[in-house]
Amino acid sequence: MPPTIPPLAGKLGSLQSSAIRDLLKLTTRADVIGLAGGLPDAALMPRERIAAAADTALSGTSCLQYTESPGWAPLRAVLAERESARLGRVVPIDEVFVTHGSQQALSLLAEVLLDPGALVIVEDPAYVGALQVFRAAGARIIAVPLDAEGMRVDVLAELLRRGERPALVHTVSNFHNPGGVTMSRQRRRELAELADAHGFWVIEDDPYGELWFDSPAPEPVATYSSNVIRLSSASKILSPSLRVGWMVAPDQVCRGVELLKQGADLCGSALTQQIAAELLADETWLSAHVDNVRTAYGARAKALVHAVRNRFGDRIVCTDATGGMFVWADFTDDTDTQALLPRALAEGVAYVPGSAFAVDGGYRNSMRMCFTTSDATTLTEAIDRLARAVANQ
């Protein structure tokens, strides 16, 4: 008699794989220009500097051992200093918690802050990683639209007036993924004021804030309220493989996250945290490195936007890429980007259909394109291929 297979948890039935990760499996062919991934350019990652920092860490033995659950203390001190400068106030080291990438911080926070059925407000279109986390937590999700100034805080205020009481609001405030927009200073203040007045948490997810092209983004939302938890990461400015993310949160939140992290993985990697600490503390080197990344990405972003507008004219409206890694584009006619995708892949170009980021359906005429991993000439060719796919559909 065959064995009886035990069941899996029921909550898995409501979850789905990231459409982006699934799409990447289909776009590994060398003849496909990938605009689908959200990957930083490996050619711009500081391999030699990382190797030197690894040698320094490996000259001792502490990097080979377990470290504290909240993160290696010297790294937390470096991060506290950086976040203090960003927020314009002293951030105590006890309010800094290091995680296995900022995605782990988001996942742990969902367990600490949300009971099943709790209301979460997200932006629409939404960051897919956040949707996966909140759905796994059993949250009730309501989407608030974006416009050129970021989250429509007036729509959130109206929801509150109607009696909705969110446990938390999630925002990618700088160079939004996937929307490509940045929340205005006024809306940041208004969001913080609403959080204080109504007693909800804001998770300010900020992996792209240092990747500005023309001018820095406004002060973080966390500047204006202690109800705002900031997340960030070394993945976009150093390397994703370091898996070093962090959050800045009130002490009681950090202690709750610590309890859960101990049950999940005990602690992060002492080796990669020591490497990250050295690189993030070397301000002169880091500033020059990030400037180099900004320059490269800024030129690529402008090339992609120019190619789209030059090739499609009024048929596509796309965001002005002022930072980050993404351009969001909307066909102004009835072009369905999900239906178009197989034709685009046949022509040798990949993007993510906008429907992948929809909370409750929609965005069938939209798409997200990433400009970080190709040069200007390749990006122009990618849009030529997209135009051929549109013409031949």
Side-chain angles (χ1 to χ4, degrees):
M1 176 181 294
T4 300
I5 305 300
L8 301 178
K11 67 180 180 180
L12 290 175
S14 64
L15 302 181
Q16 57 188 28
S17 179
S18 165
I20 301 168
R21 297 299 173 191
D22 292 343
L23 179 59
L24 290 178
K25 298 175 185 177
L26 303 175
T27 60
T28 55
R29 302 197 322 259
D31 60 323
V32 174
I33 300 174
L35 306 180
L39 307 177
D41 188 352
L44 296 174
M45 295 175 195
R47 294 177 59 185
E48 293 182 0
R49 188 67 181 83
I50 290 173
D55 284 344
T56 300
L58 289 165
S59 66
T61 58
S62 64
C63 71
L64 303 177
Q65 192 52 275
Y66 293 108
T67 191
E68 303 97 322
S69 295
W72 191 53
L75 172 59
R76 292 167 65 210
V78 170
L79 294 171
E81 184 174 349
R82 286 170 56 82
E83 291 292 335
S84 295
R86 189 165 285 119
L87 295 175
R89 64 175 175 85
V90 175
V91 174
I93 190 171
D94 287 343
E95 294 185 2
V96 177
F97 198 102
V98 180
T99 54
H100 194 73
S102 62
Q103 185 69 20
Q104 186 188 49
L106 189 59
S107 179
L108 294 173
L109 283 170
E111 295 186 65
V112 169
L113 304 179
L114 299 176
D115 292 316
L119 174 59
V120 174
I121 304 293
V122 299
E123 293 156 326
D124 197 14
Y127 168 52
V128 170
L131 289 180
Q132 289 180 303
V133 163
F134 298 142
R135 285 167 175 159
R140 180 168 69 95
I141 300 173
I142 293 179
V144 169
L146 294 171
D147 64 15
E149 294 185 51
M151 176 188 282
R152 287 279 305 279
V153 178
D154 62 317
V155 175
L156 171 61
E158 178 58 28
L159 288 171
L160 294 168
R161 280 192 291 271
R162 286 170 17 204
E164 295 287 5
R165 290 295 176 261
L168 67 86
V169 173
H170 178 268
T171 178
V172 183
S173 55
N174 296 324
F175 316 120
H176 190 271
N177 175 14
V181 296
T182 293
M183 187 183 293
S184 67
R185 179 175 282 107
Q186 179 62 29
R187 290 192 187 177
R188 292 170 192 241
R189 288 181 179 273
E190 292 170 354
L191 176 57
E193 289 168 0
L194 289 174
D196 287 345
H198 294 273
F200 58 80
W201 294 104
V202 175
I203 296 180
E204 182 179 21
D205 210 342
D206 185 25
Y208 310 107
E210 294 189 64
L211 297 180
W212 50 268
F213 303 150
D214 301 316
S215 60
E219 298 85 357
V221 182
T223 304
Y224 305 110
S225 171
S226 59
N227 284 358
V228 181
I229 298 168
R230 265 182 58 76
L231 309 185
S232 195
S233 169
S235 293
K236 306 305 187 292
I237 61 171
L238 294 176
S239 170
S241 67
L242 293 176
R243 304 313 301 137
V244 172
W246 58 89
M247 70 176 187
V248 177
D251 182 66
Q252 70 270 27
V253 175
C254 290
R255 300 293 71 78
V257 168
E258 182 174 2
L259 289 174
L260 291 172
K261 185 171 173 60
Q262 288 172 348
D265 63 4
L266 296 180
C267 64
S269 163
L271 175 59
T272 60
Q273 289 186 24
Q274 290 188 28
I275 292 170
E278 178 176 329
L279 301 184
L280 293 173
D282 190 346
E283 294 182 4
T284 300
W285 171 83
L286 183 64
S287 178
H289 166 68
V290 174
D291 278 346
N292 183 53
V293 175
R294 288 189 194 118
T295 298
Y297 286 177
R300 295 171 189 181
K302 288 177 174 58
L304 178 61
V305 170
H306 175 75
V308 169
R309 292 174 177 167
N310 183 61
R311 199 71 172 79
F312 287 94
D314 294 338
R315 191 172 183 182
I316 289 182
V317 175
C318 67
T319 54
D320 288 309
T322 59
M325 298 171 58
F326 305 106
V327 167
W328 180 263
D330 299 299
F331 279 92
T332 57
D333 56 21
D334 62 353
T335 300
D336 184 325
T337 56
Q338 183 68 54
L340 175 65
L341 184 57
R343 175 67 63 183
L345 290 170
E347 292 288 347
V349 61
Y351 57 83
V352 184
S355 58
F357 307 97
V359 178
D360 297 308
Y363 299 112
R364 72 178 191 87
N365 306 122
S366 305
M367 59 186 170
R368 190 197 75 175
M369 296 178 285
C370 179
F371 50 76
T372 54
T373 55
S374 297
D375 60 25
T377 300
T378 304
L379 291 167
T380 300
E381 172 61 23
I383 300 306
D384 287 342
R385 295 181 184 187
L386 180 62
R388 291 197 296 272
V390 171
N392 294 328
Q393 65 178 328

